[in-house]
Amino acid sequence: LLILSCEGNSHPKLEATKIIVDKSSYDEYLINRVNGIHRLTGYTPLDSSKGIILVHGCYPPNWTTKGHEWTIALKRLADSKALAWWFKHDWNACPEVTSYQLAISIDSIKNANEHVNQIHILGHSIGGLIVTDLAEKWNSDQKLLIHAIAAPLDHYSDRLNSCEVSGKNKYTMSDDVDYMQWRTSKNVDGFFKDLEKDPQKVEIINGDYILLPGQWDGKRLGHNLSIQLVVNQLLDTINFF
């Protein structure tokens, strides 16, 4: 069963109009809710046969803007009238636990929305490790298009030492998945630049990767800004809709 948290349940609905983009005013609206899948509401999707699920990463205890890195992307999805869901999870749990919960959420989406025949899943940072684990284990007639963004797929955190999924140097994706890894440039990624090696560099079988540029839209394309670029690519270039 999907495990729901008793904490952070102040927002039962996820409404696009309540998402605050300004960082100084952001109220952790995306994170202050129960664990599980949350439909982005407040608009009517143009094409409800295609959907996108967003999976966040891990946050330090003293981080005061948890989830803010997704706000512009979610606003863009709503403005584009894309059918979207936000997957809130316990980032202290092992990736294999969360990927199992995500798989259950995907089944629930399909059961409630039989018209949905194409699902993109975006996972950022540790969220990318979660969705990559899902990509290896997925076995279903529902084909998934999975995108891991700025994801430390090689071993990255000692916190994961006790987990079944803690990172490795080779991944083999399920035949039921189209998989893409979006790698940031290590020297401009604030989370990776000081590491001895780039934890994004792994061997991918039955999938592919894209190396993102060091700059985008006149800004350094770091760990968090990479989310916006990938969402824009899906909406504008890859003909997501």
Side-chain angles (χ1 to χ4, degrees):
L1 295 177
L2 186 63
I3 300 172
L4 299 180
S5 170
C6 293
E7 300 177 356
N9 58 359
S10 56
H11 300 297
K13 287 188 177 181
L14 178 59
E15 302 177 53
T17 56
K18 293 185 178 180
I19 298 174
I20 299 172
V21 171
D22 178 53
K23 195 169 186 177
S24 63
S25 303
Y26 177 67
D27 57 357
E28 297 196 344
Y29 177 69
L30 297 179
I31 294 297
N32 289 334
R33 60 188 63 252
V34 297
N35 292 336
I37 201 78
H38 300 266
R39 165 82 179 275
L40 184 61
T41 64
Y43 62 97
T44 301
L46 287 176
D47 183 353
S48 58
S49 69
K50 302 174 184 177
I52 182 167
I53 300 172
L54 309 177
V55 183
H56 62 82
C58 180
Y59 303 101
N62 60 348
W63 202 263
T64 58
T65 53
K66 299 178 183 71
H68 178 267
E69 69 277 10
W70 288 95
T71 55
I72 293 177
L74 276 160
K75 286 284 194 180
R76 176 77 200 279
L77 288 168
D79 290 343
S80 301
K81 300 191 182 303
L83 181 62
W85 289 269
W86 170 253
F87 183 71
K88 160 63 171 44
H89 61 88
D90 176 4
W91 51 86
N92 292 312
C94 287
E96 65 270 16
V97 174
T98 307
S99 70
Y100 175 72
Q101 295 170 351
L102 177 57
I104 293 174
S105 292
I106 295 168
D107 284 341
S108 72
I109 287 174
K110 283 297 298 176
N111 290 337
N113 305 270
E114 293 183 357
H115 52 283
V116 174
N117 56 35
Q118 185 180 115
I119 298 177
H120 287 252
I121 305 177
L122 275 65
H124 177 248
S125 197
I126 291 296
L129 180 57
I130 291 166
V131 302
T132 301
D133 182 57
L134 178 71
E136 284 201 297
K137 296 174 179 175
W138 188 250
N139 181 18
S140 171
D141 57 1
Q142 170 61 59
K143 189 149 184 117
L144 301 179
L145 299 96
I146 292 182
H147 309 264
I149 310 167
L153 301 184
D154 201 345
H155 190 81
Y156 172 63
S157 172
D158 289 341
R159 180 185 67 83
L160 302 178
N161 282 341
S162 61
C163 297
E164 171 194 319
V165 175
S166 59
K168 56 186 180 181
N169 56 26
K170 182 178 179 180
Y171 290 82
T172 302
M173 307 308 168
S174 164
D175 290 335
D176 298 311
V177 169
D178 285 340
Y179 179 89
M180 180 64 70
Q181 181 196 17
W182 302 75
R183 298 177 184 174
T184 55
S185 297
K186 178 181 179 293
N187 63 331
V188 298
D189 188 308
F191 281 82
F192 302 149
K193 66 179 181 179
D194 295 328
L195 299 178
E196 184 177 342
K197 64 177 182 176
D198 188 348
Q200 302 172 100
K201 287 188 176 181
V202 297
E203 182 181 355
I204 298 173
I205 298 174
N206 202 25
D208 208 345
Y209 75 90
I210 292 173
L211 179 61
L212 298 172
Q215 286 195 336
W216 176 64
D217 197 26
K219 302 174 184 177
R220 175 180 62 86
L221 186 61
H223 196 70
N224 289 340
L225 188 58
S226 59
I227 293 171
Q228 293 180 41
L229 184 150
V230 174
V231 169
N232 282 2
Q233 288 285 309
L234 288 176
L235 291 175
D236 298 339
T237 306
I238 307 177
N239 297 320
F240 181 65
F241 295 99

